[in-house]
DNA sequence: CCTTGACTCTGACGTTACGTCATCCTTTAC
DNA sequence: GTAAAGGATGACGTAACGTCAGAGTCAAGG
């Protein structure tokens, strides 16, 4: 249970804002003390987060209310849409930054900019269109999902490759993980490494020792990858890299 | 000389907005016809651009007015400030995107997020903290045995660290993507590539030119990586590889 | 036990940046 | 010469809070 000021500070909004949200019934605290103090729960915080996401994208508060209160509201789906819209907004900002840069360059060379050139990134219509689409989509959620179909196709295309790799990867990595205590030069581990390389060669591309070493580096370097891979154990990524290096050394 | 609707469409604002700006004496057309029609010049457009820049950053209209009307107003200086602020805003957005991603992940794994974790990107103070942290890190960059510490460091990275890494990557890749049209040898792109390499060196291991080239190959060759990376644009992976190769060539 | 300072409450009016009519006048195209 | 499109001027509406005012609440310290 959090008091109003705590919540305000956590979320970076004013107390008055929370009062307002209570008043318009957008976000009402789970409970109220006998003295009338508002008390917020973690659930309330989740809703507040949702509200702020929608706000950032440009929805009005009453729209947000009706979206969040709909019984079929899907938080996960909403979040994915949020991400898309936020990235669009980011692109818009990037365009604006380019415009500023162009303006600066033009100013330096004492040139004159094209009229439309001056306002790139300001036009919000793209974003608005997307918002409308989102609202429409959500409203007709039980209609046909044409938009999703295209996404699925792309996802599906890779899904085959993915699950193939994934299961092979899991198999090999589990084996390796189970033998970590024997060190990266362990015979069974080295065999598994070789199999892994062969698998890549068979299914994707010629995995030269050089590339293979790079792959090992990648396991450590790419945060998304590392995170996935470290579920096989503490320090699994560096261990794997080391094992790959030993494997490649022994090829000579 | 442009009529009001033309200007509105060029800049992506409403006619009413221009009326309003005229009324509050923020932007008054150079001339008016006998019938009372507003006529805007290129100079007026420049001022409008300025206004919109300031607005995007969050200034109030009367503040903008007093800024633009000050006799010592330096457009070039202002633009440079704009750029900085816009980039900060972009970072804030990137953070929000990360927060959305984290929320999604937590939702998938049915985890519960930390209370403050939920609101990253919403209040600006976080940004400052992160910047301080980065500055601190950089200051201590000249400590001892960085390379050998790499593995240990990685092992102790927490969620925050990963977020930082991811956002740095996103930042650099976004920048590169936004300048793809200038070709892989573009100066800014090359600078970003250098930064990226430095970043790997700082956080993981000494990234030699050889390894770096290998990474470039992997971006193209490895389907999983390509998939992730191509969200930055069509053919982003091959483009990146080419840019890396150019970068490495120039090191000799 | 009482005080004090930080926090909270509920109105209620103010503010910013336009949106939205309504009503009327110009200009342009056929 | 007439309609459609665009422009002008009030005037009121609105969204999302900000900003007091006046009063109660709570936790710590003297």
């Amino acid at each position: 249970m959090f008091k109003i000021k705590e919540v305000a500070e956590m979320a970076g909004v004013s107390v008055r804002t929370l009062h307002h949200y209570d008043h318009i019934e957008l976000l009402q605290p789970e409970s109220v003390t006998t003295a009338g103090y508002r008390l917020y729960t973690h659930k309330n915080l989740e809703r507040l987060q949702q509200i702020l996401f929608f706000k950032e994208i440009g929805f009005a508060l009453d729209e947000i209310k009706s979206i969040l209160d709909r019984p079929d509201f899907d938080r996960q789906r909403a979040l994915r849409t949020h991400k898309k819209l936020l990235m669009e907004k980011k692109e818009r900002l990037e365009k604006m930054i380019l415009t500023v840069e162009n303006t600066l360059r033009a100013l330096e060379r004492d040139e004159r900019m094209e009229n439309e050139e001056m306002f790139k990134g300001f036009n919000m219509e793209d974003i608005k269109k997307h918002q409308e689409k989102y609202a429409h989509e959500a409203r007709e959620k039980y209609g046909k999902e044409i938009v999703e179909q295209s996404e699925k196709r792309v996802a599906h295309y890779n899904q085959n490759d993915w699950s193939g790799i994934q299961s092979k990867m899991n198999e090999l990595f589990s084996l390796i993980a189970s033998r970590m205590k024997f060190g990266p030069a362990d015979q069974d581990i080295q065999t598994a490494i070789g199999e892994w390389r062969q698998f890549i060669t068979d299914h994707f591309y010629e995995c030269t020792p050089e590339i293979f070493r790079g792959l090992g580096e990648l396991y450590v370097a790419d945060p998304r990858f590392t995170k996935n891979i470290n579920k096989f154990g503490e320090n699994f990524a560096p261990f794997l890299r080391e094992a790959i290096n030993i494997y490649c050394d022994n090829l000579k």
Side-chain angles (χ1 to χ4, degrees), chain A residues 11-62:
Chain A
V13 301
S14 73
V15 169
R16 177 65 234 269
T17 298
L18 294 175
H19 281 165
H20 185 55
Y21 290 177
D22 186 357
H23 193 77
I24 64 174
E25 296 175 345
L26 174 59
L27 174 67
Q28 289 177 317
E30 188 110 327
S31 57
V32 180
T33 68
T34 50
Y37 281 30
R38 293 168 178 82
L39 291 177
Y40 295 84
T41 65
H42 190 270
K43 245 190 159 222
N44 295 147
L45 289 183
E46 283 178 16
R47 187 171 167 113
L48 179 54
Q49 190 203 33
Q50 287 291 333
I51 291 168
L52 294 182
F53 278 143
F54 276 108
K55 232 190 71 178
E56 178 69 30
I57 299 161
F59 280 89
L61 295 189
D62 60 347

Side-chain angles (χ1 to χ4, degrees), chain A residues 207-229:
Chain A
C207 188
T208 65
E210 239 180 295
I211 290 183
F212 201 30
R213 275 187 213 265
L215 196 54
E217 299 297 339
L218 190 66
Y219 291 153
V220 177
D222 187 80
R224 284 157 304 180
F225 211 80
T226 307
K227 267 209 92 176
N228 275 330
I229 228 174

Side-chain angles (χ1 to χ4, degrees), chain A residues 84-99:
Chain A
K84 228 171 59 191
L85 290 173
L86 287 173
M87 284 175 66
E88 274 167 34
K89 199 167 172 181
K90 202 186 89 185
E91 274 168 36
R92 203 182 120 246
L93 261 177
E94 272 159 9
K95 238 184 232 172
M96 285 190 59
I97 292 172
L98 280 178
T99 304

Side-chain angles (χ1 to χ4, degrees), chain A residues 164-178 192 195 232:
Chain A
I165 294 173
Q166 196 91 338
S167 65
K168 188 68 182 173
M169 225 170 104
N170 278 337
E171 187 193 318
L172 292 171
F173 285 6
S174 296
L175 190 147
I176 293 170
S178 73
E195 247 184 88
F232 289 100

